[in-house]
Amino acid sequence: MANLVYKRVSTDQQSTARQDLVLAEAGIEDPVVFEEDPGTSSRLHPLQRPKFGELLMYARPGDTVHISEMFRLVRGNQHILDVLDVLHRDRLALRIHDGAFSAMDLTARHPRTGELLSTVKFMVQTLAAAGELQRDLQRELTYDGLRAAEANGAKGGRRPAVAAATAAGVRTAYLEGRSIAALARDHRVSRGAIRTAVADLLPEHTASEEDAPAPELPVALDMPGKVADYLRTTELEPVKRAALDQGVAVRRGQGYTLRVSAVPAVHRQLLARCQPLDGGQGVPAVPAQRKARREYENRVSALTP
């Protein structure tokens, strides 16, 4: 049975030193390490992170996943429950070595139904909500502190390397033909600092870059099982197929839903591919399949365009 170690930091300015210390103190034998690239955001669903995906592909039933603390892997209630479903499906154990979750067996299931124990689910949701509350309070306090500092004349953020008193002269010299390298030597700062001071004067600076829309973030939607079963039999592009394959099955009575995490555009494309379930072209619709497609359509339609 293998010991699989997962590590992640949220920015490229952070290191895994604390995680390394916690995991080293745990005395894990022959660890196989999967470390995300620096700056992998916790907002990205764990099942869509490259290294965690590699870990799940590498894992075999009976292996144990080790993390220093729960929030290195998940963010919020739904992330936790999705990951626990996948670990249960693949028969993998989870070991957390620090923090509130370290004393809990998060993989405990009901012996007859196989579902996550209600007490475990309650504790997971409660502790996750407490963690989210703590982060929200920290953001609020930081915001209030910045507002108070601004009211006293202070300005937040990193101070510019080119002082405001000389920035105008730097810009004038640049417009007169002075090179960035020469200006950096004159003012004994980096070329990046000069580029920041004259950013709006650079040839590559365009309005279209300023107005570029923010990238879409993945959204988890429950796809009815009948829709998922149909899509699995169709030809799909790699991105859509990957979203479907990484979906987490959630039992619903005698059927199931597939929790698919993807950007809204992919959800809309998957919805378009299951249009035949509504019938047409001489093929009669199956009522249950048509109802399932329309349920999925309602969920996709609720997404922000």
Side-chain angles (χ1 to χ4, degrees):
M1 304 301 179
N3 290 309
L4 313 179
V5 170
Y6 178 78
K7 297 189 289 185
R8 181 192 64 80
V9 291
S10 297
T11 74
D12 55 9
Q13 302 300 315
Q14 297 175 329
S15 75
T16 60
R18 184 178 180 280
Q19 298 174 68
D20 295 339
L21 176 62
V22 171
L23 294 167
E25 291 176 343
I28 302 169
E29 296 184 1
D30 300 322
V32 180
V33 179
F34 297 83
E35 182 176 342
E36 298 287 358
D37 290 337
T40 301
S41 172
S42 62
R43 294 181 182 273
L44 182 63
H45 197 290
L47 301 180
Q48 293 185 319
R49 296 178 197 160
K51 289 300 179 181
F52 191 64
E54 288 183 18
L55 182 151
L56 293 176
M57 291 291 292
Y58 180 91
R60 296 293 179 268
D63 291 351
T64 301
V65 179
H66 297 265
I67 53 178
S68 61
E69 53 194 339
M70 192 62 161
F71 295 106
R72 295 298 177 184
L73 176 60
V74 298
R75 176 191 176 96
N77 296 344
Q78 197 55 59
H79 283 193
I80 296 175
L81 297 177
D82 289 348
V83 168
L84 292 180
D85 280 340
V86 170
L87 295 179
H88 174 66
R89 180 198 68 193
D90 295 346
R91 290 182 286 168
L92 304 176
L94 176 63
R95 183 75 174 87
I96 304 163
H97 295 278
D98 195 19
F101 291 96
S102 59
M104 297 176 57
D105 180 7
L106 298 180
T107 56
R109 299 271 167 168
H110 192 283
R112 289 183 294 277
T113 66
E115 296 181 352
L116 195 66
L117 284 179
S118 57
T119 52
V120 173
K121 194 172 185 178
F122 172 77
M123 290 300 297
V124 165
Q125 292 173 333
T126 301
L127 291 172
E132 289 183 5
L133 175 61
Q134 181 183 17
R135 289 194 297 272
D136 290 342
L137 288 174
Q138 288 175 340
R139 282 195 295 268
E140 290 174 5
L141 291 172
T142 300
Y143 176 71
D144 290 342
L146 289 174
R147 287 188 61 192
E150 289 175 359
N152 291 327
K155 185 177 180 181
R158 182 182 296 175
R159 294 182 179 180
V162 177
T166 59
V170 169
R171 292 167 62 84
T172 300
Y174 177 76
L175 289 173
E176 291 175 350
R178 191 79 170 154
S179 71
I180 288 177
L183 287 169
R185 288 195 300 271
D186 293 345
H187 295 273
R188 296 183 179 180
V189 297
S190 68
R191 297 185 185 185
I194 299 297
R195 283 185 170 275
T196 300
V198 300
D200 59 322
L201 306 177
L202 296 174
E204 63 267 24
H205 181 84
T206 62
S208 61
E209 290 176 347
E210 294 180 348
D211 299 334
E216 289 187 314
L217 296 176
V219 178
L221 287 185
D222 284 350
M223 176 187 292
K226 293 185 183 301
V227 173
D229 292 341
Y230 172 78
L231 288 173
R232 287 193 177 102
T233 66
T234 64
E235 290 291 333
L236 295 175
E237 296 172 2
V239 173
K240 303 186 192 67
R241 176 63 63 186
L244 202 64
D245 290 344
Q246 293 174 5
V248 179
V250 180
R251 276 184 267 181
R252 294 284 187 269
Q254 295 182 347
Y256 78 99
T257 61
L258 189 70
R259 186 160 296 145
V260 178
S261 294
V263 296
V266 170
H267 281 298
R268 296 187 188 100
Q269 293 164 3
L270 289 171
L271 175 64
R273 292 306 302 269
C274 62
Q275 179 65 40
L277 295 181
D278 261 351
Q281 298 181 352
V283 179
V286 177
Q289 290 181 331
R290 180 169 57 189
K291 179 181 178 182
R293 183 196 173 279
R294 290 183 178 175
E295 287 179 4
Y296 184 48
E297 182 178 22
N298 291 338
R299 292 166 187 164
V300 173
S301 299
L303 296 175
T304 302

